[in-house]
């Protein structure tokens, strides 16, 4: 005999009340981050120097700007999903956990927005 | 808080097992990379802020402490990348047998160390300053 209610079975959302969406997004973002992070590290290592002029020239290219924006967004989303699991595991008590998750979420959105803004500022020539 | 047992049941495992070591290392390096995300954004903001702003940020970004953090981030990145690929293979239902999993654990450690050395060599050859 199952102790799950018929409604719970139909919704299929489990103890986290979120279904498989979290798991699936973590897989999707990890798959996307393989080429994005490898591109980022290889590109940085391939640059002749990390002077401001070199970086501006590099980030002004459309392809670089696009990939950097994707990197920041996907990395922030993947990071948020990962940190969330750690918080779920180690922060006990509904109040403390919810507060931590809210702060983690806000911090990641702020980082993603700031990163995208910085890349766009350089790519659109708005950087002084 | 409910009185029923809650995951993770850390005390029921033998802590020396390679399975546990590779799993906790993946989580640990993931959290380290999350902590490195503000550094990436700070660097991007510094570049976008102009040459003077970047020059000022370089004092922070090229400090010995920052270099130590980059080293930790490179190690974390290499491990998390390779261990993450192992997880993606597992998600397809392959490599879950104990012997295969033990073999892939060593493969992850060897491949991530090789990747770290490759990146370290490249940085050393260029004499890189900052990130």
């Amino acid at each position: 005999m199952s102790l799950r209610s018929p409604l719970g079975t139909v919704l299929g959302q489990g103890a986290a009340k979120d279904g498989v969406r979290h798991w699936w997004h973590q897989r999707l973002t990890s798959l996307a981050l393989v080429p994005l992070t490898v591109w980022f590290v290889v590109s940085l290592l391939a640059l002749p120097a990390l002077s401001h002029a070199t970086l501006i020239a590099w980030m002004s290219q459309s392809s670089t700007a696009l990939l950097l924006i994707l990197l920041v967004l996907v990395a922030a989303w993947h990071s948020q999903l990962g940190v969330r699991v750690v918080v779920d595991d180690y922060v006990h008590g509904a109040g403390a956990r919810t507060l931590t998750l809210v702060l983690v979420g806000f911090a990641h959105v702020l980082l993603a927005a700031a990163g995208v803004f910085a890349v766009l500022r350089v790519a659109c020539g708005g950087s002084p | 808080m409910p009185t029923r047992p809650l995951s993770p049941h850390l005390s029921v495992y033998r802590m020396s097992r390679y399975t546990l070591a590779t799993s906790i290392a993946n989580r640990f390096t993931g959290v380290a990379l999350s902590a490195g995300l503000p550094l990436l954004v700070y660097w991007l903001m510094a570049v976008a802020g102009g040459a003077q702003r970047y020059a000022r940020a370089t004092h922070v970004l090229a400090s010995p402490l920052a270099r130590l953090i980059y080293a930790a981030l490179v190690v974390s990145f290499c491990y998390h990348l390779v261990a993450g690929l192992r997880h993606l293979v597992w998600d397809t239902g392959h490599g879950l047998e104990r012997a295969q999993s033990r073999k892939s654990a060593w493969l992850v450690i060897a491949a991530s160390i090789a990747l770290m050395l490759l990146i370290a060599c490249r940085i050393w050859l260029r004499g890189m300053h900052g990130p």
Side-chain angles (χ1 to χ4, degrees), chain A residues 9-50:
Chain A
T9 309
V10 167
L11 292 176
Q13 297 192 319
K17 298 164 186 66
D18 196 45
V20 293
R21 196 192 314 142
H22 180 284
W23 182 90
W24 180 239
H25 279 201
Q26 204 166 34
R27 266 62 192 174
L28 279 185
T29 50
S30 63
L31 203 57
L33 280 171
V34 173
L36 284 172
T37 52
V38 169
W39 162 79
F40 179 67
V41 170
V42 169
S43 301
L44 274 193
L45 292 175
L47 285 175
L50 291 173

Short mmCIF file of all heavy atoms in Angstrom, two decimals, chain A residues 9-50:
data_model
loop_
_atom_site.label_atom_id
_atom_site.label_comp_id
_atom_site.label_asym_id
_atom_site.label_seq_id
_atom_site.Cartn_x
_atom_site.Cartn_y
_atom_site.Cartn_z
N THR A 9 0.49 11.67 -6.29
CA THR A 9 0.96 10.79 -7.36
C THR A 9 0.81 11.45 -8.72
O THR A 9 1.70 11.40 -9.56
CB THR A 9 0.18 9.45 -7.33
OG1 THR A 9 0.22 8.94 -6.00
CG2 THR A 9 0.78 8.46 -8.29
N VAL A 10 -0.34 12.10 -8.92
CA VAL A 10 -0.61 12.74 -10.21
C VAL A 10 0.35 13.91 -10.43
O VAL A 10 0.93 14.06 -11.51
CB VAL A 10 -2.08 13.23 -10.28
CG1 VAL A 10 -2.27 14.15 -11.47
CG2 VAL A 10 -3.01 12.04 -10.38
N LEU A 11 0.54 14.74 -9.40
CA LEU A 11 1.42 15.89 -9.55
C LEU A 11 2.87 15.46 -9.72
O LEU A 11 3.64 16.12 -10.42
CB LEU A 11 1.28 16.84 -8.35
CG LEU A 11 -0.08 17.55 -8.23
CD1 LEU A 11 -0.12 18.38 -6.95
CD2 LEU A 11 -0.35 18.43 -9.44
N GLY A 12 3.25 14.35 -9.07
CA GLY A 12 4.59 13.81 -9.24
C GLY A 12 5.69 14.76 -8.84
O GLY A 12 6.74 14.84 -9.48
N GLN A 13 5.46 15.53 -7.74
CA GLN A 13 6.43 16.56 -7.40
C GLN A 13 7.37 16.20 -6.26
O GLN A 13 8.30 16.95 -6.00
CB GLN A 13 5.70 17.87 -7.12
CG GLN A 13 4.98 18.35 -8.37
CD GLN A 13 4.49 19.75 -8.24
OE1 GLN A 13 3.98 20.13 -7.21
NE2 GLN A 13 4.64 20.53 -9.30
N GLY A 14 7.11 15.08 -5.57
CA GLY A 14 8.06 14.62 -4.56
C GLY A 14 8.23 15.55 -3.39
O GLY A 14 7.49 16.52 -3.22
N ALA A 15 9.28 15.24 -2.57
CA ALA A 15 9.47 15.96 -1.31
C ALA A 15 9.89 17.41 -1.52
O ALA A 15 9.63 18.27 -0.69
CB ALA A 15 10.52 15.24 -0.46
N ALA A 16 10.56 17.69 -2.63
CA ALA A 16 11.02 19.06 -2.87
C ALA A 16 9.91 19.94 -3.47
O ALA A 16 10.11 21.12 -3.68
CB ALA A 16 12.23 19.06 -3.80
N LYS A 17 8.76 19.33 -3.77
CA LYS A 17 7.60 20.03 -4.33
C LYS A 17 7.92 20.72 -5.64
O LYS A 17 7.38 21.76 -5.97
CB LYS A 17 7.05 21.05 -3.32
CG LYS A 17 6.57 20.36 -2.03
CD LYS A 17 6.38 21.34 -0.90
CE LYS A 17 6.06 20.60 0.40
NZ LYS A 17 7.19 19.76 0.87
N ASP A 18 8.82 20.12 -6.40
CA ASP A 18 9.29 20.78 -7.61
C ASP A 18 9.41 19.82 -8.80
O ASP A 18 9.87 20.22 -9.85
CB ASP A 18 10.66 21.42 -7.33
CG ASP A 18 11.03 22.43 -8.39
OD1 ASP A 18 10.17 23.24 -8.75
OD2 ASP A 18 12.17 22.37 -8.87
N GLY A 19 9.03 18.54 -8.60
CA GLY A 19 9.15 17.61 -9.71
C GLY A 19 10.58 17.43 -10.17
O GLY A 19 11.51 17.54 -9.38
N VAL A 20 10.77 17.16 -11.45
CA VAL A 20 12.12 16.90 -11.97
C VAL A 20 12.72 18.14 -12.61
O VAL A 20 13.78 18.07 -13.22
CB VAL A 20 12.13 15.75 -13.00
CG1 VAL A 20 11.78 14.43 -12.32
CG2 VAL A 20 11.18 16.03 -14.14
N ARG A 21 12.04 19.28 -12.49
CA ARG A 21 12.53 20.47 -13.20
C ARG A 21 13.94 20.84 -12.74
O ARG A 21 14.79 21.16 -13.55
CB ARG A 21 11.57 21.64 -12.99
CG ARG A 21 11.81 22.77 -14.00
CD ARG A 21 11.07 24.03 -13.63
NE ARG A 21 9.70 23.74 -13.25
CZ ARG A 21 9.07 24.37 -12.27
NH1 ARG A 21 9.67 25.30 -11.58
NH2 ARG A 21 7.83 24.07 -11.98
N HIS A 22 14.17 20.81 -11.41
CA HIS A 22 15.48 21.18 -10.89
C HIS A 22 16.56 20.26 -11.46
O HIS A 22 17.59 20.71 -11.96
CB HIS A 22 15.47 21.11 -9.36
CG HIS A 22 16.78 21.47 -8.73
ND1 HIS A 22 17.86 20.61 -8.72
CD2 HIS A 22 17.19 22.59 -8.12
CE1 HIS A 22 18.87 21.20 -8.12
NE2 HIS A 22 18.49 22.40 -7.75
N TRP A 23 16.31 18.98 -11.39
CA TRP A 23 17.26 17.98 -11.89
C TRP A 23 17.53 18.20 -13.37
O TRP A 23 18.68 18.22 -13.81
CB TRP A 23 16.66 16.57 -11.66
CG TRP A 23 17.55 15.46 -12.08
CD1 TRP A 23 18.49 14.83 -11.32
CD2 TRP A 23 17.59 14.83 -13.37
NE1 TRP A 23 19.10 13.86 -12.06
CE2 TRP A 23 18.57 13.83 -13.31
CE3 TRP A 23 16.87 15.01 -14.56
CZ2 TRP A 23 18.88 13.01 -14.40
CZ3 TRP A 23 17.19 14.21 -15.64
CH2 TRP A 23 18.17 13.21 -15.56
N TRP A 24 16.47 18.42 -14.13
CA TRP A 24 16.60 18.56 -15.58
C TRP A 24 17.38 19.84 -15.94
O TRP A 24 18.26 19.82 -16.80
CB TRP A 24 15.21 18.56 -16.22
CG TRP A 24 15.21 18.71 -17.72
CD1 TRP A 24 14.61 19.69 -18.44
CD2 TRP A 24 15.82 17.83 -18.67
NE1 TRP A 24 14.83 19.50 -19.77
CE2 TRP A 24 15.56 18.37 -19.95
CE3 TRP A 24 16.57 16.65 -18.57
CZ2 TRP A 24 16.02 17.76 -21.13
CZ3 TRP A 24 17.04 16.06 -19.74
CH2 TRP A 24 16.76 16.62 -20.99
N HIS A 25 17.06 20.94 -15.27
CA HIS A 25 17.77 22.20 -15.54
C HIS A 25 19.25 22.10 -15.18
O HIS A 25 20.10 22.67 -15.84
CB HIS A 25 17.12 23.36 -14.79
CG HIS A 25 15.90 23.88 -15.48
ND1 HIS A 25 15.38 25.13 -15.26
CD2 HIS A 25 15.10 23.30 -16.40
CE1 HIS A 25 14.31 25.31 -16.02
NE2 HIS A 25 14.11 24.20 -16.70
N GLN A 26 19.54 21.35 -14.10
CA GLN A 26 20.94 21.18 -13.72
C GLN A 26 21.70 20.43 -14.82
O GLN A 26 22.83 20.77 -15.15
CB GLN A 26 21.03 20.42 -12.40
CG GLN A 26 22.32 20.67 -11.66
CD GLN A 26 22.25 20.20 -10.23
OE1 GLN A 26 21.59 19.20 -9.93
NE2 GLN A 26 22.90 20.91 -9.33
N ARG A 27 21.04 19.44 -15.42
CA ARG A 27 21.68 18.67 -16.51
C ARG A 27 21.84 19.53 -17.76
O ARG A 27 22.88 19.52 -18.39
CB ARG A 27 20.85 17.42 -16.84
CG ARG A 27 21.30 16.20 -16.10
CD ARG A 27 21.15 16.40 -14.63
NE ARG A 27 21.82 15.37 -13.85
CZ ARG A 27 21.90 15.41 -12.54
NH1 ARG A 27 21.40 16.42 -11.86
NH2 ARG A 27 22.51 14.45 -11.88
N LEU A 28 20.77 20.26 -18.12
CA LEU A 28 20.83 21.11 -19.31
C LEU A 28 21.94 22.15 -19.19
O LEU A 28 22.74 22.34 -20.11
CB LEU A 28 19.49 21.84 -19.50
CG LEU A 28 18.35 21.08 -20.16
CD1 LEU A 28 17.17 22.03 -20.35
CD2 LEU A 28 18.77 20.51 -21.51
N THR A 29 22.00 22.82 -18.01
CA THR A 29 23.01 23.86 -17.85
C THR A 29 24.41 23.26 -17.80
O THR A 29 25.35 23.86 -18.33
CB THR A 29 22.76 24.68 -16.57
OG1 THR A 29 22.57 23.79 -15.47
CG2 THR A 29 21.54 25.57 -16.70
N SER A 30 24.57 22.07 -17.20
CA SER A 30 25.91 21.48 -17.16
C SER A 30 26.37 21.11 -18.56
O SER A 30 27.53 21.32 -18.92
CB SER A 30 25.94 20.26 -16.23
OG SER A 30 25.09 19.25 -16.71
N LEU A 31 25.43 20.61 -19.37
CA LEU A 31 25.77 20.26 -20.75
C LEU A 31 26.19 21.51 -21.52
O LEU A 31 27.18 21.50 -22.26
CB LEU A 31 24.53 19.63 -21.41
CG LEU A 31 24.75 18.73 -22.61
CD1 LEU A 31 25.70 17.58 -22.25
CD2 LEU A 31 23.43 18.17 -23.11
N ALA A 32 25.47 22.62 -21.33
CA ALA A 32 25.79 23.86 -22.03
C ALA A 32 27.11 24.45 -21.53
O ALA A 32 27.85 25.07 -22.29
CB ALA A 32 24.66 24.88 -21.84
N LEU A 33 27.40 24.25 -20.23
CA LEU A 33 28.60 24.86 -19.66
C LEU A 33 29.88 24.16 -20.10
O LEU A 33 30.96 24.75 -20.01
CB LEU A 33 28.51 24.87 -18.13
CG LEU A 33 27.66 25.99 -17.54
CD1 LEU A 33 27.46 25.78 -16.04
CD2 LEU A 33 28.27 27.35 -17.79
N VAL A 34 29.78 22.92 -20.57
CA VAL A 34 31.00 22.22 -21.03
C VAL A 34 31.66 23.02 -22.16
O VAL A 34 32.80 23.48 -22.00
CB VAL A 34 30.71 20.77 -21.44
CG1 VAL A 34 31.95 20.13 -22.06
CG2 VAL A 34 30.25 19.95 -20.25
N PRO A 35 30.99 23.27 -23.30
CA PRO A 35 31.64 24.07 -24.34
C PRO A 35 31.89 25.52 -23.93
O PRO A 35 32.93 26.08 -24.28
CB PRO A 35 30.68 24.00 -25.52
CG PRO A 35 29.37 23.59 -24.95
CD PRO A 35 29.66 22.77 -23.74
N LEU A 36 30.95 26.12 -23.16
CA LEU A 36 31.09 27.55 -22.81
C LEU A 36 32.32 27.79 -21.92
O LEU A 36 33.09 28.72 -22.17
CB LEU A 36 29.83 28.05 -22.11
CG LEU A 36 28.61 28.32 -22.98
CD1 LEU A 36 27.39 28.62 -22.14
CD2 LEU A 36 28.88 29.47 -23.95
N THR A 37 32.50 26.96 -20.89
CA THR A 37 33.63 27.18 -19.98
C THR A 37 34.94 26.84 -20.66
O THR A 37 35.94 27.52 -20.46
CB THR A 37 33.48 26.36 -18.69
OG1 THR A 37 33.23 25.00 -19.04
CG2 THR A 37 32.35 26.88 -17.83
N VAL A 38 34.93 25.76 -21.48
CA VAL A 38 36.17 25.40 -22.18
C VAL A 38 36.55 26.52 -23.15
O VAL A 38 37.72 26.93 -23.21
CB VAL A 38 36.00 24.05 -22.91
CG1 VAL A 38 37.17 23.79 -23.86
CG2 VAL A 38 35.88 22.91 -21.91
N TRP A 39 35.57 27.07 -23.87
CA TRP A 39 35.83 28.20 -24.77
C TRP A 39 36.42 29.37 -23.97
O TRP A 39 37.40 29.99 -24.39
CB TRP A 39 34.54 28.66 -25.44
CG TRP A 39 34.66 30.04 -26.01
CD1 TRP A 39 35.25 30.39 -27.19
CD2 TRP A 39 34.22 31.27 -25.40
NE1 TRP A 39 35.21 31.75 -27.35
CE2 TRP A 39 34.59 32.32 -26.26
CE3 TRP A 39 33.56 31.58 -24.21
CZ2 TRP A 39 34.31 33.66 -25.98
CZ3 TRP A 39 33.29 32.91 -23.91
CH2 TRP A 39 33.66 33.92 -24.80
N PHE A 40 35.84 29.68 -22.81
CA PHE A 40 36.28 30.82 -22.01
C PHE A 40 37.73 30.65 -21.55
O PHE A 40 38.56 31.55 -21.73
CB PHE A 40 35.35 30.99 -20.80
CG PHE A 40 35.73 32.11 -19.88
CD1 PHE A 40 35.63 33.42 -20.31
CD2 PHE A 40 36.19 31.85 -18.60
CE1 PHE A 40 35.98 34.48 -19.46
CE2 PHE A 40 36.54 32.90 -17.75
CZ PHE A 40 36.44 34.20 -18.18
N VAL A 41 38.04 29.49 -21.02
CA VAL A 41 39.40 29.25 -20.50
C VAL A 41 40.41 29.25 -21.65
O VAL A 41 41.45 29.91 -21.57
CB VAL A 41 39.45 27.92 -19.72
CG1 VAL A 41 40.88 27.54 -19.39
CG2 VAL A 41 38.63 28.03 -18.44
N VAL A 42 40.07 28.57 -22.76
CA VAL A 42 40.99 28.52 -23.90
C VAL A 42 41.20 29.92 -24.48
O VAL A 42 42.33 30.32 -24.78
CB VAL A 42 40.46 27.55 -24.99
CG1 VAL A 42 41.24 27.68 -26.29
CG2 VAL A 42 40.52 26.12 -24.48
N SER A 43 40.12 30.71 -24.58
CA SER A 43 40.23 32.07 -25.12
C SER A 43 41.11 32.94 -24.24
O SER A 43 41.98 33.66 -24.74
CB SER A 43 38.85 32.73 -25.21
OG SER A 43 38.01 31.97 -26.02
N LEU A 44 40.90 32.87 -22.93
CA LEU A 44 41.72 33.68 -22.01
C LEU A 44 43.18 33.30 -22.13
O LEU A 44 44.06 34.16 -22.17
CB LEU A 44 41.26 33.47 -20.56
CG LEU A 44 40.12 34.33 -20.03
CD1 LEU A 44 40.05 34.20 -18.52
CD2 LEU A 44 40.30 35.79 -20.41
N LEU A 45 43.44 31.99 -22.20
CA LEU A 45 44.83 31.53 -22.28
C LEU A 45 45.45 31.87 -23.63
O LEU A 45 46.66 32.00 -23.75
CB LEU A 45 44.91 30.02 -22.03
CG LEU A 45 44.57 29.56 -20.62
CD1 LEU A 45 44.56 28.05 -20.53
CD2 LEU A 45 45.54 30.14 -19.60
N ALA A 46 44.61 32.02 -24.66
CA ALA A 46 45.13 32.31 -26.00
C ALA A 46 45.39 33.80 -26.22
O ALA A 46 46.12 34.18 -27.13
CB ALA A 46 44.15 31.80 -27.05
N LEU A 47 44.79 34.65 -25.37
CA LEU A 47 45.03 36.09 -25.51
C LEU A 47 46.50 36.39 -25.25
O LEU A 47 47.10 35.83 -24.33
CB LEU A 47 44.16 36.88 -24.52
CG LEU A 47 42.67 37.01 -24.85
CD1 LEU A 47 41.94 37.72 -23.72
CD2 LEU A 47 42.46 37.75 -26.15
N PRO A 48 47.11 37.30 -26.04
CA PRO A 48 48.53 37.57 -25.86
C PRO A 48 48.84 38.21 -24.51
O PRO A 48 49.91 38.00 -23.95
CB PRO A 48 48.84 38.54 -27.01
CG PRO A 48 47.53 39.09 -27.44
CD PRO A 48 46.52 38.03 -27.16
N ALA A 49 47.91 39.00 -23.99
CA ALA A 49 48.09 39.62 -22.67
C ALA A 49 46.72 39.90 -22.12
O ALA A 49 45.72 39.78 -22.83
CB ALA A 49 48.90 40.90 -22.79
N LEU A 50 46.67 40.26 -20.85
CA LEU A 50 45.38 40.60 -20.27
C LEU A 50 45.30 42.09 -19.98
O LEU A 50 44.74 42.52 -18.97
CB LEU A 50 45.13 39.77 -19.01
CG LEU A 50 44.92 38.27 -19.29
CD1 LEU A 50 44.85 37.47 -18.03
CD2 LEU A 50 43.67 38.05 -20.13
#
